Amino acid sequence: MEKLTFYALSAPEKLDRIGAYLSERLIRDVSRHRYGYVCIAMEALDQLLMACHCQSINLFVESFLKMVAKLLESEKPNLQILGTNSFVKFANIEEDTPSYHRSYDFFISRFSEMCHSTHDDLDIRTKIRMSGIKGLQGVVRKTVNDELQANIWDPQHMDKIVPSLLFNLQHVEEAESRSPSPLQATEKEKESPTELAERCLRELLGRAAYGNIKNAIKPVLIHLDNHSLWEPKIFATCCFRIIMYSIQPQHSHLVIQQLLGHLDANSKSAATVRAGIVEVLSEAAVIAASGSVGPTVLEVFNTLLRQLRLSIDYALTGSYDCIAGVSTKIIKEHEERMLQEAVIKTIGSFASTLPTYQQSEVMVFIMNKVPLPSSQQSIEAGKAGENRNRLTQIMLLKSLLQVSVGFQCSNMLTALPSAFLDRLLSAALMEDAEIRLFVLEILISFIDRHGNRQKFSTISTVSDISVLKLKVDKCSRQDTVFMKKHGQHLYRHIYLICKEESNVQAHYEALYSMLMLISIELANEEVVVDLIRLVLAVQEIAQINEDNLTAYNRCALFALGAAYLNLISQLTTVPTFCQHIHEVIQMRQKEAPYLLPEEVFVERPRLSKSLDRLGPEVFFWQSKISEVLGGSGYNSDRLSTPYVPQLTDEDRLSKRKSIGETISLQVEMESRNSPEREQRAPAEEITYETLKKAIVDSVAVEEQERERRRQVVEKFQKAPFEEIAAHCGARATLLQSKLNQIFEITIRPPPSPSGTITAAYGQPQNHSIPVYEMKFPDLCVY
């Protein structure tokens, strides 16, 4: 062998003749079953290959590959393994020059066949399968970087290589059951077909360029379909975990697009199959979290929402498809429900991987899909249509809640744009209690930016707020602007939700959390005043009971008001305010414990039917609160004005009340005062004479205005210049004096009231307004 190697190295042009001779001998020996000589011939070829890396090796390789092919064609396992080992050695050689005329098609087919070996002997079967995997690995290494070779990424090759590797990966459970701990595993078990197949698959995918990902993933999806591997979903998830971690990160979104397309293609498959694909999508999205899930982010959510809608339709109709009135498949409703939950979870997973601005877009996108009575979307009529609408609304709001839970944005104006907030709040007025609860939870997840939500999960009258360890920051300028713009809208919806008879404990807990979170996250002095007025108006709902609420609803509203005022009084740190609230709570503990949260929000609430005969000492009085807070610098005029929500057409559109009821309710609301209200004078009777007089008066006013304008024009046309100048100078002086007053206020701002909101640790926050934040009157703006 040494002499032959020396000869081949000194005369490289003879290599092809040496190869041809050895090939002829080997083929003859194989056919005559002289396996000893076969081994010698292969050993000689291997050593020559390893020694001779010259330019003339190409022709020699042709002979070598012919001999390997002959061994692989043999039915003897030992010869197949021998040929494979030689091929692997050859695959690891880096050739200097490319080859134009080699074909690896036979080797890909044969190695793939060996991967599926079904030999009776387990050990031999394992060896053959491992040889097949090693051979495929060798083919990939030899061809993937050589542009002149057959393109390994072509579908005809990928459709053989990928399923062969996946077939061996499927036995991962058996391997794990044989060797529960890596430390206990023998050397034989350590190198199993499963581990080798995984390593080969990772290597293959790691070499895949942008254009080749699709061809590599498609056979995986087909294999999982053909072998029904989506349903347990363990293997499918494991598979795609390998794929996502092996490919280059910038290609992740291509895999996700492939999965989405496959989900659409399986729209009429069993719910378990679709749920499996969705679960895999969810896992893949978490792994692809390094950046965007691709340029078509909204398309991802569009596909998922379309699947959600389809699932709802299937569950309601009871079949996937009806041809000539015959149902092709029977739907199992619980499976569809599992699929819907999986889709919602996946929507949350996807959203959590996105940057903040894209999360906002996604939430607007989802909200626009929710069918609402107040929108232009077609609301289906009939019983089936109502069911479909309700299920769609609930599922989409659940999806929205999943996205909003992971959403973190310091600027509420950005987080809740007007169009989005309007649609969300209009859903809060629907009769369905579950939908209202979802809306409240979504709003809470937006407002809670410091993780205070859990501290308000139970409603109680805490005597010392410091035990809650609240995280309180100063209200930012953007938050102030947000509350100026949307505050009244929020208050109105909170007020109207409180009046719903179908509310349960979860609703009151959500309302309590929302009131407290607004007080902590978004409150300045004006907002605190408005919230106190709102809670007192809610107390009045329970006290007067015009909506015929149940005893539980009324007691719950009383308890809600007590819990909120107890905490807000401690946040504002006005001693007299705290004292009044504490006195009322103590009186309730003695006289009416069923008006406190500790007695109402329990498994078996204590209620009283004699709520209309309660004494004045168990109520919070607007006049008293206005007096104590007014003395600490709060706006007492605003505090003493009862809260009256502005009712709009939205109530009519949300099917809550008719137009007549809305108008009559609005008149009643306007005529209502605080708990200690006085009788107003009766309204003036409107007659024909009154209307006639109003018309005549309006004509007279118009004539006076026209005359005044004529005089001004005439004065500027005919009066001397000095008179006009003096007149304008006087007005300019007046304007200047007003400006001076304003500048004095901005330079020396008035001291903030002693009753400022404090942080949990008791340090007052400074509420003086910088010059650049002041709102100047229109008179000063040029």
Side-chain angles (χ1 to χ4, degrees):
M1 196 62 227
E2 287 176 9
K3 288 179 180 179
L4 180 61
T5 306
F6 176 75
Y7 177 68
L9 286 170
S10 55
E13 69 277 0
K14 301 290 186 183
L15 258 176
D16 56 331
R17 288 183 64 188
I18 295 170
Y21 174 73
L22 284 171
S23 173
E24 185 186 331
R25 284 291 301 269
L26 182 130
I27 290 166
R28 190 171 65 203
D29 290 337
V30 167
S31 58
R32 292 178 181 178
H33 306 289
R34 295 175 178 173
Y35 299 126
Y37 288 115
V38 171
C39 293
I40 291 168
M42 282 314 298
E43 181 66 27
L45 276 170
D46 287 349
Q47 288 197 29
L48 284 172
L49 264 177
M50 302 307 286
C52 306
H53 291 178
C54 59
Q55 293 184 355
S56 309
I57 200 171
N58 274 337
L59 294 173
F60 175 66
V61 168
E62 288 302 311
S63 304
F64 169 77
L65 291 177
K66 195 186 296 180
M67 292 164 70
V68 172
K70 185 69 179 173
L71 291 177
L72 292 175
E73 284 173 351
S74 167
E75 292 185 6
K76 296 282 183 183
N78 289 340
L79 291 185
Q80 294 173 15
I81 293 166
L82 181 68
T84 304
N85 290 341
S86 290
F87 184 82
V88 170
K89 288 175 188 172
F90 160 68
N92 289 328
I93 295 172
E94 290 186 14
E95 297 180 52
D96 299 330
T97 53
S99 171
Y100 293 87
H101 49 277
R102 271 186 222 156
S103 171
Y104 292 99
D105 291 8
F106 167 77
F107 294 100
I108 292 170
S109 299
R110 185 64 187 136
F111 287 137
S112 298
E113 194 179 327
M114 287 168 70
C115 286
H116 290 84
S117 170
T118 54
H119 199 280
D120 295 336
D121 189 322
L122 178 63
D123 286 340
I124 293 174
R125 183 165 75 229
T126 303
K127 284 178 181 175
I128 293 173
R129 286 186 181 182
M130 287 180 68
S131 292
I133 297 166
K134 286 175 182 174
L136 289 176
Q137 197 173 22
V139 173
V140 170
R141 285 178 181 171
K142 203 68 187 166
T143 58
V144 77
N145 292 324
D146 192 345
E147 292 178 3
L148 297 171
Q149 300 300 335
N151 187 0
I152 198 76
W153 302 107
D154 283 348
Q156 68 262 31
H157 299 317
M158 281 288 113
D159 289 348
K160 294 172 185 172
I161 294 172
V162 173
S164 303
L165 298 176
L166 293 178
F167 175 77
N168 285 281
L169 264 178
Q170 276 173 249
H171 300 281
V172 67
E173 293 88 359
E174 292 174 21
E176 283 176 1
S177 61
R178 281 207 310 274
S179 56
S181 166
L183 297 172
Q184 297 169 2
T186 61
E187 286 298 320
K188 185 179 177 183
E189 284 177 349
K190 275 182 183 173
E191 190 63 10
S192 65
T194 302
E195 291 170 3
L196 197 59
E198 183 179 334
R199 204 158 59 241
C200 185
L201 184 62
R202 287 183 187 278
E203 186 179 335
L204 176 71
L205 293 165
R207 294 169 182 264
Y210 181 86
N212 303 325
I213 293 286
K214 187 178 178 183
N215 288 346
I217 302 301
K218 194 174 179 184
V220 178
L221 299 171
I222 293 169
H223 181 83
L224 295 172
D225 282 347
N226 291 344
H227 296 271
S228 304
L229 294 170
W230 292 111
E231 290 175 38
K233 82 187 174 219
I234 299 164
F235 177 71
T237 306
C238 170
C239 239
F240 273 89
R241 202 175 284 134
I242 291 170
I243 291 168
M244 295 305 290
Y245 281 121
S246 302
I247 60 172
Q248 296 170 44
Q250 65 268 29
H251 301 157
S252 297
H253 69 274
L254 291 174
V255 179
I256 287 167
Q257 282 177 354
Q258 287 274 95
L259 278 166
L260 287 166
H262 197 66
L263 182 60
D264 272 345
N266 280 276
S267 288
K268 291 185 180 177
S269 299
T272 47
V273 172
R274 283 176 285 140
I277 300 172
V278 169
E279 287 277 353
V280 170
L281 256 172
S282 179
E283 289 274 342
V286 173
I287 297 168
S290 54
S292 167
V293 290
T296 53
V297 172
L298 291 181
E299 189 54 41
V300 170
F301 290 93
N302 199 23
T303 303
L304 289 170
L305 293 177
R306 184 164 61 246
Q307 289 300 322
L308 201 58
R309 189 71 188 251
L310 276 173
S311 177
I312 291 166
D313 287 344
Y314 293 157
L316 286 170
T317 56
S319 67
Y320 294 111
D321 195 14
C322 289
I323 300 169
V326 180
S327 175
T328 54
K329 290 180 184 174
I330 302 302
I331 300 290
K332 292 179 181 174
E333 197 172 335
H334 72 277
E335 288 181 358
E336 289 296 337
R337 202 172 297 118
M338 282 167 57
L339 166 68
Q340 289 159 15
E341 293 299 330
V343 171
I344 289 166
K345 179 187 162 196
T346 305
I347 286 171
S349 298
F350 265 117
S352 65
T353 68
L354 299 175
T356 305
Y357 75 93
Q358 281 189 326
Q359 285 182 327
S360 296
E361 287 177 11
V362 167
M363 287 187 285
V364 172
F365 180 75
I366 295 173
M367 194 64 227
N368 285 337
K369 296 270 184 186
V370 179
L372 296 173
S374 57
S375 67
Q376 295 302 313
Q377 284 176 300
S378 56
I379 295 290
E380 297 178 50
K383 184 75 174 171
E386 282 179 17
N387 285 341
R388 184 174 284 107
N389 287 330
R390 181 182 174 276
L391 280 170
T392 307
Q393 287 159 352
I394 287 172
M395 289 303 167
L396 290 176
L397 288 171
K398 263 191 182 178
S399 307
L400 194 57
L401 181 57
Q402 279 283 340
V403 180
S404 66
V405 165
F407 182 71
Q408 287 294 329
C409 182
S410 57
N411 188 347
M412 291 297 292
L413 281 168
T414 311
L416 291 168
S418 297
F420 174 78
L421 187 62
D422 289 346
R423 283 186 64 80
L424 186 60
L425 288 175
S426 64
L429 296 181
M430 301 191 77
E431 290 176 351
D432 193 286
E434 195 176 356
I435 291 174
R436 291 202 306 276
L437 188 57
F438 276 127
V439 173
L440 286 171
E441 290 291 345
I442 290 164
L443 285 168
I444 286 166
S445 63
F446 277 119
I447 297 168
D448 182 22
R449 293 167 293 180
H450 293 90
N452 290 315
R453 166 75 171 98
Q454 291 306 315
K455 295 162 189 175
F456 304 120
S457 55
T458 55
I459 309 178
S460 62
T461 50
V462 183
S463 56
D464 184 6
I465 197 173
S466 61
V467 298
L468 295 177
K469 296 180 181 175
L470 299 175
K471 294 177 185 174
V472 184
D473 278 348
K474 185 181 175 183
C475 181
S476 67
R477 181 172 176 271
Q478 290 96 335
D479 290 344
T480 305
V481 173
F482 173 81
M483 288 309 288
K484 279 186 182 296
K485 189 174 181 183
H486 300 297
Q488 294 303 323
H489 206 188
L490 278 171
Y491 306 148
R492 172 176 173 272
H493 284 81
I494 292 171
Y495 181 87
L496 292 173
I497 292 171
C498 286
K499 297 178 74 167
E500 293 289 349
E501 194 176 344
S502 55
N503 287 342
V504 293
Q505 184 173 335
H507 290 86
Y508 295 114
E509 285 171 353
L511 285 164
Y512 173 66
S513 296
M514 185 145 168
L515 287 166
M516 284 313 306
L517 289 169
I518 292 173
S519 306
I520 291 170
E521 297 277 355
L522 305 170
N524 51 24
E525 286 160 20
E526 188 180 330
V527 171
V528 170
V529 167
D530 282 340
L531 286 170
I532 292 170
R533 290 171 61 226
L534 172 62
V535 171
L536 290 171
V538 169
Q539 175 186 261
E540 194 180 343
I541 294 173
Q543 190 180 354
I544 296 169
N545 197 23
E546 290 178 344
D547 296 281
N548 294 321
L549 297 174
T550 63
Y552 173 76
N553 292 129
R554 294 176 71 186
C555 287
L557 291 179
F558 281 126
L560 174 69
Y564 176 74
L565 290 171
N566 173 56
L567 281 188
I568 198 69
S569 65
Q570 293 181 59
L571 273 174
T572 51
T573 63
V574 179
T576 48
F577 183 30
C578 291
Q579 186 184 348
H580 171 62
I581 302 301
H582 188 58
E583 282 171 1
V584 175
I585 289 172
Q586 278 189 326
M587 191 57 68
R588 285 189 181 185
Q589 286 169 347
K590 290 177 188 174
E591 305 289 334
Y594 46 82
L595 301 184
L596 291 173
E598 287 79 5
E599 297 292 336
V600 178
F601 301 115
V602 288
E603 194 173 341
R604 292 181 178 175
R606 282 181 56 190
L607 305 175
S608 169
K609 293 183 179 177
S610 59
L611 292 174
D612 294 322
R613 295 195 293 274
L614 292 168
E617 66 279 357
V618 295
F619 296 123
F620 301 100
W621 293 99
Q622 189 149 3
S623 57
K624 180 70 176 172
I625 292 173
S626 173
E627 181 187 327
V628 294
L629 285 179
S632 298
Y634 283 85
N635 186 339
S636 58
D637 291 342
R638 192 172 179 82
L639 267 168
S640 57
T641 309
Y643 174 75
V644 179
Q646 297 175 346
L647 297 176
T648 64
D649 286 346
E650 191 176 4
D651 301 299
R652 176 173 53 81
L653 291 167
S654 63
K655 298 182 180 178
R656 293 178 73 258
K657 291 180 172 58
S658 67
I659 303 173
E661 287 171 332
T662 303
I663 293 168
S664 64
L665 181 61
Q666 193 164 357
V667 170
E668 287 169 21
M669 295 293 289
E670 286 171 357
S671 64
R672 185 188 303 164
N673 208 321
S674 58
E676 59 268 41
R677 62 191 183 282
E678 298 172 3
Q679 289 291 324
R680 292 189 181 179
E684 183 185 350
E685 190 180 350
I686 298 173
T687 61
Y688 170 75
E689 290 298 327
T690 316
L691 292 171
K692 184 178 177 183
K693 184 180 176 184
I695 294 167
V696 171
D697 286 350
S698 64
V699 171
V701 169
E702 281 179 18
E703 285 180 359
Q704 287 175 6
E705 182 65 21
R706 203 177 294 118
E707 178 62 24
R708 193 182 65 78
R709 286 179 187 169
R710 190 186 61 74
Q711 287 175 1
V712 170
V713 171
E714 191 177 336
K715 179 180 176 183
F716 274 86
Q717 284 176 342
K718 298 179 180 177
F721 174 74
E722 289 78 8
E723 188 182 331
I724 294 171
H727 176 70
C728 293
R731 294 193 63 182
T733 309
L734 178 65
L735 175 61
Q736 187 62 44
S737 67
K738 290 282 184 191
L739 283 171
N740 289 339
Q741 285 177 17
I742 290 163
F743 291 145
E744 273 184 34
I745 292 167
T746 57
I747 293 163
R748 289 187 293 106
S752 62
S754 58
T756 53
I757 293 179
T758 64
Y761 44 80
Q763 294 177 352
Q765 297 171 1
N766 190 3
H767 278 258
S768 58
I769 303 170
V771 176
Y772 54 83
E773 289 188 8
M774 283 204 64
K775 184 172 175 62
F776 288 90
D778 294 340
L779 180 67
C780 306
V781 182
Y782 178 68

